[in-house]
Amino acid sequence: MTIRPTRNTDLIRSSRFRAEREAGWKKLETLLSWAERSGVGALRYEQVHELASLYRQAMNSLSVARSISMDKALLAYLEALCARAYLVVYAPQEGIRGAIWRLFSEGIPRAVRRSSLPLLIGFLAMVLGAVVGYVLYFQDPGWYFTFVPPEMSDGRAPGASVEYLRSTLFDDGGRNKETLGVFASFLFSHNTGIAIFIFALGIFVTLPSFVLTFYNGLLLGAFFAMYAEAGLAYEVFGWLSIHGVTELSAICLACAGGAQLGLAVLLPGNHTRRQALQIAGHDAVKLIILAGLMLIVAAMIEGFLRQLVQDTAIRLAIGWGVGLLWFLWLGFAGRRHNMPAEIEAQA
Amino acid sequence: MSNRAENIRPPEGVPISFEIASGGSRFGAQFLDILITFGGLLLLFIGLIWAGLIAASMLATLFLLLIFFIRVPYYIFSELVWNGRTLGKRIVKIRVISADGGRLTPHQIVARNLMKEVEVFMPATTLMSGTLESGWVGLALGGWMVGVLLVPLINKKHLRLGDMIAGTLVVDNPKAILLPDLAVRKSVQKPTFVFDASHLDVYGRYELQTLEEILRESPKSPQAIARISEVARTIQRKIDYVEQVLPTDYWDFLSEFYRQQREYLESRQLFGDARESKFHNKNKQE
């Protein structure tokens, strides 16, 4: 501290406190307005250094001023100055590229391996739905009309001729290659919407996610049963497998993410419900990102490959091959050395 | 500080307070964001179609992808790049901060914006398309949507469900304006008004800071001058200041009283005698 001119001894204590530090605050303010305008990256090394130390000084001043000063203007100013500086100093420092790399190499696979119970719920919803849909169809094909909305069935209804059903599996629907891109992007946009929806609904104690996924399973089961009845079980299995392995897994993953949130609300354990939600959110968000990624891949396969590849054996190989790749990535990426082996959760 | 203040404890350990953004400004920011994204998309496509550079199928692909992008991903990217501010939030001057005092993490941003799908887009599209189902399903759906919309209004910090999951707050941008110190004398002269301990014992911090607000603006209009003189006379009466104060000296009297009162209260506080308001004596006797 430099020795102040004698005039300052005339000041009261808190005014002296302010007069001694005001220059530093002003300097911090100029640095802050630069940083706010063009980012911390625009500052030179010494400036950043100065910013950090001025920030700590301002915090210190605020702490002291609260106990010694009754100048309301000063307190409000310091409060706001520190808040601004805090927002600049504690801005996210990680580059977007680094964050994304870490997410894919470690974050997502680990999150998947950690959440076996929600995954069980997700896949169970789908499988149960499919089984129920299949069984019900064979009891009474009329169920098909209950499950499948008419705009989706597109003539593929019970009683349709085997030739027609076969043609829906092996015809490219008259689409040329140019419109395939539109079709793929439509599928992606539509399916991702559904997945995010299923996920976000999970917060309401899991049930809506489960019901929606179950319904998707019902559709699948009834649809499959209709083709099976026409003797096309193998062909429709290939037709569904090529993209369905990825797409349906993604729906199940979205449901699992939702279930994780729902479970946190339902069974918060030793935390408050809000805390439990926050903790569960970490893995749940990663699951939905993964689901989104898988849906992009599925849309590509469905939009292009399914129309271009007409042989059932190759369709099966592509579909389950891609499934195996997902499984290998999620099962083995980002493992630490002595981590216990975890339950296989990928279909 | 208003009642919307919320304390954040940064790693330095000194709590700083932020003003929680009002429901109106949050709605405004959301509305602006939707306007900007959808309006921008519309203009872009009108431009593209008018220019006629791109084939129709490419246009359709682009449209579908962009429609997807301007929903959740737009909010995630803009909040990542601008540290918790979308374009709409920048305009209404609010921002997202982490409630735990740390830095805003990518995870928090992603989590809070994913929930936007059920909290904002789903109700909005349902309402706009007008395809609310009839019967008790529609009723339950409508009730549930109203419930979700009410969540930010009924909790004190205006948290959305997404904010709860991510542990974030939406606050006003802090504005720092340093006003001059009133306790610094303009001219170097001996104080004409001298107050002793009995005069200064009457008031507390609250009255001092109210006086500070009054003194921030020197009176111009006759009404303001009349108010100043009324304040001066009241203070003179309450503290039993017996000497004569001329009406022309009221401003100086108040300034000098402010300075000495502040010095007195600050030194009392240093000795552990914090006086919040003029009722400090009553509290002690009880």
Side-chain angles (χ1 to χ4, degrees), chain B residues 72-86:
Chain B
V72 172
Y74 157 76
Y75 296 90
I76 293 176
F77 278 107
S78 58
E79 284 183 6
L80 269 177
V81 171
W82 287 314
N83 189 17
R85 289 173 300 170
T86 59

Side-chain angles (χ1 to χ4, degrees), chain A residues 106-294:
Chain A
E106 298 173 357
I108 289 178
R110 281 187 193 155
V112 170
R113 291 196 294 267
R114 266 196 302 268
S115 34
S116 39
L117 178 63
L119 281 171
L120 189 71
I121 293 177
F123 281 92
L124 201 66
M126 180 70 80
V127 171
L128 274 181
V131 170
V132 170
Y134 186 83
V135 171
L136 281 179
Y137 181 87
F138 277 109
Q139 282 181 355
D140 175 11
W143 282 107
Y144 184 83
F145 300 104
T146 318
F147 298 147
V148 184
E151 67 268 17
M152 245 179 89
S153 64
D154 190 22
R156 293 173 293 192
S161 68
V162 175
E163 287 72 41
Y164 174 72
L165 289 178
R166 181 181 288 279
S167 77
T168 59
L169 297 185
F170 291 106
D171 200 14
D172 63 2
R175 291 191 186 88
N176 57 22
K177 276 170 197 152
E178 210 165 66
T179 52
L180 290 182
V182 183
F183 185 50
S185 50
F186 164 74
L187 286 172
F188 164 67
S189 199
H190 174 251
N191 292 341
T192 316
I194 292 182
I196 293 179
F197 190 55
I198 288 182
F199 166 75
L201 279 177
I203 191 174
F204 306 103
V205 296
T206 310
L207 216 60
S209 294
F210 190 87
V211 170
L212 264 175
T213 315
F214 185 80
Y215 173 71
N216 270 300
L218 278 180
L219 277 178
L220 182 71
F223 189 76
F224 185 78
M226 182 182 69
Y227 279 91
E229 198 184 33
L232 292 168
Y234 176 65
E235 285 82 358
V236 78
F237 189 59
W239 186 81
L240 283 171
S241 286
I242 185 167
H243 69 284
V245 171
T246 303
E247 187 181 283
L248 297 176
S249 301
I251 299 286
C252 295
L253 278 168
C255 176
Q260 202 144 36
L261 297 183
L263 286 176
V265 174
L266 209 58
L267 310 164
N270 285 334
H271 304 282
T272 65
R273 289 206 154 70
R274 190 176 297 175
Q275 282 171 340
L277 260 182
Q278 285 174 11
I279 294 167
H282 280 268
D283 283 352
V285 164
K286 288 182 186 122
L287 290 183
I288 186 69
I289 293 174
L290 172 65
L293 180 76
M294 289 174 77

